[in-house]
Amino acid sequence: MKMNHALLILAGALLLGGCSSTTVSYGDATATETVTVDYGSSDLQAIADKMADSLLASPAASEITAGGRPVMFMDSIRNKTSEHIDTEAITDTLRTRLLRSGKFRFVDMSKVAAVRQQLEYQQGSGMVDPAAMVRLGKQTGARYMVYGNLSSIVKDNGKVKDVYYQMTMNLMDLQSGELEWADQKEIRKQAKTSTFGW
């Protein structure tokens, strides 16, 4: 009888242990996420917000936008960390914030090859109405370039992992080569590992 009871408890435990369920829910996209010390969505938002606010509030922005909306292009941000980080998400978020301000216009240099292919098709295929054709050499050139670097320093002694991120952004006048604006955003994250008995 005791043996049957023990087997029944064991079978129940195995069944409960083998059954799992997953619940999916929406979260607040702006809430701070602290799952790991790795670069995450909160870091992206903090960097993009700081850089956009800093550039928009700078004397350089006031000066270069006094006569209208200057054309800029955003170069790819260099990932100098040891992590695989999608830096395109930072450039996209920052460019979107700056465009929403209504102070700047952007050209998208990442699409030059696709644009060239479309223009060559329009010019050479004979399939596009000449009245509706976009003419080669009529694109607007950028006057300013925004670019930056994301770097990190990682320290780990087995008990504490400390990650320091530094984002540096610059605005360059392409005509003069002068830096009009620069700023940095720093983020430090720590994870502590606790062991029983400590």
Side-chain angles (χ1 to χ4, degrees):
M1 185 74 168
K2 286 184 180 182
M3 182 69 153
N4 286 343
H5 187 64
L7 286 174
L8 199 59
I9 290 173
L10 180 61
L14 289 172
L15 281 173
L16 289 175
C19 295
S20 65
S21 65
T22 302
T23 302
V24 177
S25 62
Y26 285 97
D28 180 0
T30 60
T32 302
E33 55 89 11
T34 55
V35 177
T36 69
V37 293
D38 297 335
Y39 178 87
S41 63
S42 296
D43 305 317
L44 183 150
Q45 291 166 354
I47 288 169
D49 288 348
K50 158 74 172 170
M51 294 303 169
D53 291 345
S54 174
L55 177 54
L56 290 169
S58 71
S62 297
E63 186 178 321
I64 66 177
T65 59
R69 295 172 58 216
V71 179
M72 309 170 86
F73 87 90
M74 177 129 352
D75 195 20
S76 299
I77 292 172
R78 290 178 55 206
N79 178 9
K80 297 169 71 177
T81 72
S82 57
E83 295 177 54
H84 173 73
I85 295 175
D86 179 12
T87 56
E88 191 174 342
I90 301 172
T91 59
D92 289 347
T93 304
L94 184 54
R95 184 176 53 232
T96 300
R97 285 279 315 271
L98 294 173
L99 274 169
R100 282 182 182 165
S101 75
K103 293 186 175 186
F104 303 102
R105 295 176 292 158
F106 280 87
V107 291
D108 190 350
M109 298 307 295
S110 68
K111 299 300 177 189
V112 169
V115 170
R116 183 182 302 121
Q117 183 180 7
Q118 174 57 214
L119 292 176
E120 288 172 357
Y121 167 78
Q122 289 185 26
Q123 301 297 318
S125 70
M127 300 179 71
V128 177
D129 179 356
M133 196 178 296
V134 175
R135 303 285 175 219
L136 290 169
K138 296 290 186 181
Q139 292 186 18
T140 302
R143 170 74 188 266
Y144 299 95
M145 175 174 72
V146 180
Y147 62 98
N149 298 307
L150 178 62
S151 57
S152 67
I153 299 171
V154 179
K155 300 284 186 175
D156 189 348
N157 67 6
K159 297 175 189 172
V160 177
K161 183 175 183 180
D162 183 271
V163 183
Y164 167 83
Y165 294 101
Q166 183 183 66
M167 180 72 186
T168 304
M169 296 292 298
N170 304 282
L171 173 67
M172 178 189 284
D173 182 332
L174 295 177
Q175 183 172 312
S176 66
E178 295 176 354
L179 284 180
E180 297 284 346
W181 164 86
D183 205 347
Q184 294 178 332
K185 170 66 178 173
E186 299 170 312
I187 296 172
R188 167 163 265 129
K189 299 166 90 172
Q190 279 192 350
K192 295 181 181 179
T193 303
S194 59
T195 308
F196 291 110
W198 284 53

